[in-house]
Amino acid sequence: MARKLTPAERLATAEKDLLLEEIADQSSWDQFIVEQAVFHFGQRHDEWSCNDLRDVLPELGHGFLGAAINSLRTGGIIAHTGRMVPSTQANTHGHRINVWTLTDKGRAIAAQRRAARQQQGRAAA
């Protein structure tokens, strides 16, 4: 059995072309998609919380948000800013949730992906 890729490895392989069959074969494909959404959101915002992400994710993604955040945190892609905000989710009664930011590692992966996309665009032209 092949070893599972870390979130950093998955994000760094921008050229990987996953076919639908391969995605469907993965038991964690929903989490993978939510990880990608969180990473993408983090590239466009200096700081964010799950409140912000719930507003842009489809309902299906909400159940994977905590696992995706934890995976990206343990992978060193995002880090807690030290700040917390009240949750806007009704069933949480406003408990405090973390505010996140991309780490240097996360920003480096984003830069690598942008460069790869630009190179692909130039090659296609």
Side-chain angles (χ1 to χ4, degrees), residues 52-121:
D52 303 311
L53 292 163
R54 279 192 299 272
D55 290 342
V56 298
L57 285 174
E59 184 90 19
L60 175 66
H62 295 186
F64 295 95
L65 189 52
I69 291 282
N70 192 46
S71 177
L72 292 169
R73 180 190 55 80
T74 58
I77 308 299
I78 65 173
H80 185 263
T81 64
R83 293 187 329 110
M84 297 182 87
V85 295
S87 174
T88 57
Q89 201 170 18
N91 64 347
T92 65
H93 306 291
H95 77 271
R96 312 276 295 154
I97 60 172
N98 295 325
V99 175
W100 302 97
T101 190
L102 283 182
T103 62
D104 289 340
K105 182 178 182 179
R107 284 187 282 280
I109 291 169
Q112 289 170 347
R113 290 176 71 166
R114 276 191 303 275
R117 279 193 306 271
Q118 289 172 349
Q119 187 174 3
Q120 287 173 344

Side-chain angles (χ1 to χ4, degrees), residues 5-13 31-32 35-36 68 70-77 109:
L5 296 176
T6 67
E9 290 169 331
R10 288 193 305 264
L11 292 170
T13 56
Q31 181 179 329
F32 176 73
E35 285 173 2
Q36 291 291 314
N70 192 46
S71 177
L72 292 169
R73 180 190 55 80
T74 58
I77 308 299
I109 291 169

Side-chain angles (χ1 to χ4, degrees), residues 2-76:
R3 138 182 116 72
K4 263 185 137 175
L5 296 176
T6 67
E9 290 169 331
R10 288 193 305 264
L11 292 170
T13 56
E15 293 179 11
K16 183 166 54 170
D17 183 22
L18 291 178
L19 299 173
L20 183 56
E21 294 165 11
E22 293 169 329
I23 293 172
D25 287 343
Q26 297 178 16
S27 61
S28 60
W29 73 273
D30 285 326
Q31 181 179 329
F32 176 73
I33 297 297
V34 175
E35 285 173 2
Q36 291 291 314
V38 172
F39 183 65
H40 183 76
F41 193 89
Q43 291 176 61
R44 282 147 181 76
H45 300 86
D46 292 333
E47 296 181 344
W48 71 92
S49 72
C50 287
N51 291 338
D52 303 311
L53 292 163
R54 279 192 299 272
D55 290 342
V56 298
L57 285 174
E59 184 90 19
L60 175 66
H62 295 186
F64 295 95
L65 189 52
I69 291 282
N70 192 46
S71 177
L72 292 169
R73 180 190 55 80
T74 58

